[in-house]
Amino acid sequence: MAHQPSKISVIVLMGGYTSEFGISIKSGKVVCQELDSSKFDIYPCVVTKDQWYYQDAHLVKHRVDPGSFGIHIKDAVIYPDVVFNTIHGSPGEDGHIAALCTLLQIPQTSTHCYAAALSFNKRDCLSVLKAHGITCAESIYCDVHNPPDFSEVEKKLGLPFFVKPNRSGSSYGVSKVCASEEYQSALSLAFAEDHQILIERALHGTEISVGAYSHNGVPVIFTPTEIVSENAFFDLSAKYEGKAKEITPARIDHDVAQEVQRLVQKIYTTLEMNGACRADFIIEDGQPYFIELNSTPGLSRESLIPQQAKYSGITLTEFFDRLIHEAINNHKTTHR
């Protein structure tokens, strides 16, 4: 009888500490549904500020130790072979989980802690990438103690402009300001998410999102998706309530599409990223402007990366399999 290889145990982290908790749960559930159960023992783990727990098929909760990823089931403790990180926001997207995995020497599917922390901080990410020749919109950074007057912002950026939390995702706390009377409420909304904010010139053009991941040590750049929102911008309801058209491939000039893919490859390699990420741009007068980088992008059914994987001919099962094996191979290379 042929020897059956043992399965790889995978703990799928979802939830987190921010407003993106529910969206992360969706992503984590899709990963658990699509992973090949003949290859992997799958342990969904919900992360909250109060507890980490694995919920089994009978909906029984089992404690997970945040200091070791140990899953406590009755009298046994299971230590996973790989961490599959689907937490949007903190602690998954800001580098904390990646740093913990590095300390514990456990392979994990998202990028390393520095690239995660950098990309999560919009101000710092823009500053670094501008220095590497990536074009970005004009912006103003401030914190809750020193927000600029409306007149100062209008003079520098014009109207309209966006007010964004510096460290947040899924468009939580983002407002488009078209008049002075909208400014204070926009500040309040953004500061409810983060005490640091970014105020950015509104770009007028086509919104594009491009996913990337590493396979066999080589960056793979997906075909760009065009986003056409029914709302004033690609906000929370547009992203998750079907109020946007997402068109792959994007209806842009072939040369512009290639340029955006080149920029994503440059960003991915410059920051020495691992795992899946997604970069967002707006094409204004033929010029791609980088908006932000997501190092733990959405993996729910309606998310952009799954759509782009499907367009490229890869099933989610194969895509997630690739992410896990890339994490294992990276870990072997790093720790040999």
Side-chain angles (χ1 to χ4, degrees):
M1 184 175 176
H3 172 69
Q4 295 295 318
S6 59
K7 293 184 185 181
I8 297 170
S9 61
V10 181
I11 188 167
V12 180
L13 302 185
M14 62 188 88
Y17 306 158
T18 69
S19 300
E20 296 182 87
F21 180 92
I23 296 161
S24 173
I25 294 291
K26 282 186 176 182
S27 292
K29 285 182 176 178
V30 169
V31 171
C32 292
Q33 289 163 5
E34 294 292 338
L35 281 176
D36 186 344
S37 59
S38 70
K39 296 181 181 179
F40 305 108
D41 286 323
I42 304 154
Y43 298 93
C45 175
V46 176
V47 172
T48 73
K49 286 184 178 178
D50 299 323
Q51 62 178 329
W52 291 28
Y53 62 87
Y54 155 60
Q55 187 163 283
D56 65 24
H58 303 290
L59 304 183
V60 177
K61 293 180 180 179
H62 304 273
R63 182 174 68 87
V64 174
D65 182 359
S68 66
F69 297 103
I71 304 160
H72 293 254
I73 301 176
K74 295 182 179 177
D75 296 328
V77 182
I78 296 168
Y79 294 99
D81 299 312
V82 183
V83 171
F84 199 118
N85 178 17
T86 69
I87 298 175
H88 314 315
S90 187
E93 199 164 6
D94 56 6
H96 292 174
I97 292 294
L100 179 59
C101 289
T102 299
L103 289 172
L104 296 173
Q105 297 190 16
I106 300 175
Q108 58 95 26
T109 57
S110 57
T111 196
H112 56 89
C113 57
Y114 171 71
L118 178 68
S119 60
F120 192 64
N121 188 307
K122 294 181 178 70
R123 175 198 63 177
D124 293 356
C125 188
L126 293 172
S127 298
V128 168
L129 293 179
K130 279 179 184 176
H132 286 276
I134 306 296
T135 303
C136 310
E138 299 91 339
S139 61
I140 299 169
Y141 165 82
C142 68
D143 63 28
V144 71
H145 302 294
N146 66 346
D149 294 332
F150 174 81
S151 58
E152 180 186 342
V153 179
E154 184 183 21
K155 182 178 180 181
K156 182 171 181 179
L157 304 181
L159 284 175
F161 56 80
F162 283 97
V163 178
K164 307 176 176 181
N166 188 42
R167 296 165 296 188
S168 181
S170 295
S171 298
Y172 279 103
V174 177
S175 301
K176 186 176 185 178
V177 175
C178 300
S180 59
E181 57 267 24
E182 299 169 354
Y183 184 52
Q184 287 304 318
S185 61
L187 289 178
S188 298
L189 191 68
F191 283 133
E193 295 290 327
D194 188 8
H195 71 275
Q196 302 173 347
I197 66 169
L198 198 71
I199 306 173
E200 195 168 67
R201 177 174 79 84
L203 296 161
H204 303 283
T206 304
E207 185 159 358
I208 300 296
S209 193
V210 187
Y213 70 104
S214 180
H215 181 50
N216 294 328
V218 178
V220 178
I221 313 301
F222 283 131
T223 298
T225 296
E226 177 184 351
I227 298 157
V228 184
S229 176
E230 294 176 14
N231 301 341
F233 63 99
F234 194 39
D235 62 5
L236 190 65
S237 69
K239 287 179 178 177
Y240 300 107
E241 296 172 14
K243 295 182 179 179
K245 290 180 181 178
E246 295 159 355
I247 303 163
T248 308
R251 299 170 300 179
I252 55 175
D253 183 83
H254 176 72
D255 290 343
V256 175
Q258 286 197 318
E259 172 63 7
V260 172
Q261 288 179 300
R262 185 192 70 80
L263 291 172
V264 174
Q265 176 143 354
K266 182 176 181 179
I267 290 167
Y268 197 94
T269 54
T270 297
L271 300 183
E272 299 182 339
M273 298 190 76
N274 315 115
C277 75
R278 197 191 76 238
D280 300 334
F281 296 82
I282 291 179
I283 314 297
E284 184 180 71
D285 299 327
Q287 170 66 53
Y289 287 81
F290 170 76
I291 303 299
E292 65 179 14
L293 181 63
N294 299 274
S295 69
T296 313
L299 298 175
S300 64
R301 303 287 176 194
E302 56 268 34
S303 297
L304 294 168
I305 290 273
Q307 293 180 41
Q308 292 177 3
K310 182 179 179 181
Y311 180 80
S312 73
I314 305 171
T315 65
L316 285 184
T317 298
E318 174 63 18
F319 181 56
F320 297 154
D321 187 286
R322 288 184 179 188
L323 294 182
I324 288 172
H325 283 96
E326 192 76 0
I328 292 170
N329 291 338
N330 282 338
H331 181 77
K332 288 177 180 176
T333 302
T334 306
H335 292 90
R336 66 186 176 190

